[in-house]
Structure formats: C-alpha cells, structure tokens
Amino acid sequence: EVQLVESGGDLVQPGGSLRLSCVASGFIFSNYWMHWVRQVPGKGLEWVSRIDSDGSGTSHADSVKGRFTISRDNAKNTVYLQMNSLRVEDTAVYYCGSVFEYWGQGILVTVSS
Amino acid sequence: QAGLTQPPSMSKDLRQTATLTCTGNSNNVGNQGAGWLQQHQGRPPKPLSYRDNNRPSGISERFSASRSGNTASLTITGLQPEDEADYYCSAWDKSLNAVVFGGGTKLTVL
C-alpha cells in the first residue's frame, strides 16, 4: 500500500521558518520526481516545488522562489520543503506527492501573528 | 504561472454521463498529456488518470480520459452520488518547468 505522510506543519509568525517532511512507502521512491502542492481551504491547487528523482534538479513556483527549497533523501524515502520568510499568503494545506500517481494526506501550515 | 482552463461547474443527472474538459497549450497538455484528480470536500486529491489515459489501480472503469490536441477530457459514465466532487486537471509544462493545474470543475450529481 502506498503511503505518503507529511509532518512539520505548524502555526508560525510572518517572517518565520518551517521545514516540512514527507516520508514515502509502498513504491520505488527513488524512481519518481516528487512535488509539493498547496491548497488554501476552499480554493484550487497550487504547485509549489519539484525535485528530480535523484535530486539533481529542482524548480519552484514564482510565488515561493528564493524563499522555499525542496530537497530529498532517497535513503530515507523522504522529501523536504524548507520554507523561510513565510508570509500570511503561504497559509495552506501542503501536500507532497508525485502529482500524477501518488498524494499524501496533507499538512496545515498557518502563518499568522 | 499560467494555468489550465476548466469550466467552474457542471450538473448532471444520476446515471448519466459527464464529460469534463481541460484546455492548455502545446507546452503542457499538448506535449505530455494531462492527469485528472478527484477531490471530495476535506479530503486530499485522488489521481484518476495520468498521461492521458493511464488509470491507477483501483480506479473504476467508469472514469476514462482522452486528449485531442491541447484539450484533455475526462468522461464519467453511469454517474453515482459519490462522483459529486471537484475535478482538477494537471500537466507538466516544459516551458515553465512547472506543474500547472486547472482551476477545477465542481461536478454536481442531481
């Protein structure tokens, strides 16, 4: 059974930092590009970041470029999202997954003073 | 980043057929095809198909996807009450080096 479990979500003040983690199981993690996607409750899906299967390439949405960094550890079947300089508008449920095949359950990040 | 275009809503009768559309361009849908996701309120998205018509295991054959040029379609036959959900299309955009999503279609089953 495929599982993707996100962790690290929290309430943080504007300007603060958080690191999200996503542990995968049930599929060959190292074969897949992995992504982070976010969703404001009641709104649509917004792609955030992606990383190649071996970690050699990454890309980020313009809205987070320079503030968020995606990374992975294939030995631990884990993908990370380091989020710095957080803004109120970063408040959302964050999902990790391969997008086209597998999704996690999501984790809530709230940025508020 | 520019997104894919989906009609915001659709209503269909029980047991009827719904066809949802998603329009992109030659850099995304027209290049590598589209994927479709189903999302019920308060739940994570669930993949229904990817690269046009590949269906993950466990997905009902009532869901089928296709593509013509830059437009992808998802057809749901024999509509059931549990099909009432939001449906999103997605595609890799080679020009943006990003995943792009449609705004979602809210399907109501009457």
Side-chain angles (χ1 to χ4, degrees):
Chain A
E1 180 195 5
V2 170
Q3 279 198 319
L4 289 158
V5 180
E6 299 96 339
S7 62
D10 205 348
L11 168 63
V12 62
Q13 291 190 341
S17 297
L18 276 179
R19 187 173 88 150
L20 304 183
S21 300
C22 169
V23 180
S25 60
F27 65 102
I28 304 174
F29 179 76
S30 59
N31 283 356
Y32 288 81
W33 285 21
M34 292 298 291
H35 304 255
W36 288 93
V37 175
R38 67 187 181 184
Q39 185 175 38
V40 174
K43 301 296 185 182
L45 300 169
E46 180 189 12
W47 175 80
V48 174
S49 302
R50 68 93 184 167
I51 186 166
D52 293 355
S53 55
D54 62 0
S56 60
T58 64
S59 56
H60 301 270
D62 290 343
S63 57
V64 307
K65 204 168 288 183
R67 301 187 299 122
F68 290 13
T69 302
I70 188 172
S71 62
R72 68 190 295 161
D73 184 339
N74 283 348
K76 295 182 178 180
N77 281 4
T78 302
V79 61
Y80 306 95
L81 186 67
Q82 178 66 43
M83 303 186 293
N84 298 330
S85 303
L86 281 160
R87 304 169 180 168
V88 170
E89 55 265 34
D90 294 319
T91 296
V93 174
Y94 284 73
Y95 297 99
C96 73
S98 64
V99 173
F100 301 109
E101 300 92 358
Y102 311 120
W103 286 69
Q105 293 298 305
I107 191 86
L108 179 63
V109 171
T110 303
V111 184
S112 174
S113 54
Chain B
Q1 271 103 346
L4 309 176
T5 300
Q6 297 181 252
S9 63
M10 175 180 290
S11 297
K12 288 287 184 180
D13 289 331
L14 195 65
R15 292 183 294 278
Q16 294 303 301
T17 295
T19 298
L20 288 65
T21 60
C22 167
T23 302
N25 59 43
S26 58
N27 289 316
N28 44 60
V29 175
N31 179 250
Q32 290 195 12
W36 288 92
L37 302 161
Q38 178 192 61
Q39 187 178 36
H40 290 105
Q41 182 72 25
R43 298 291 298 160
K46 175 182 179 181
L48 299 176
S49 74
Y50 57 96
R51 296 257 172 94
D52 291 334
N53 199 20
N54 292 280
R55 199 165 40 229
S57 61
I59 299 301
S60 170
E61 291 181 354
R62 295 190 299 109
F63 295 90
S64 64
S66 62
R67 175 170 62 96
S68 176
N70 297 333
T71 297
S73 299
L74 176 72
T75 298
I76 313 170
T77 59
L79 282 168
Q80 300 297 309
E82 60 266 29
D83 297 332
E84 187 162 292
D86 294 320
Y87 291 83
Y88 295 92
C89 60
S90 62
W92 175 256
D93 191 299
K94 66 175 183 177
S95 173
L96 298 174
N97 202 17
V99 173
V100 288
F101 289 101
T105 296
K106 185 176 185 62
L107 176 64
T108 300
V109 179
L110 303 173

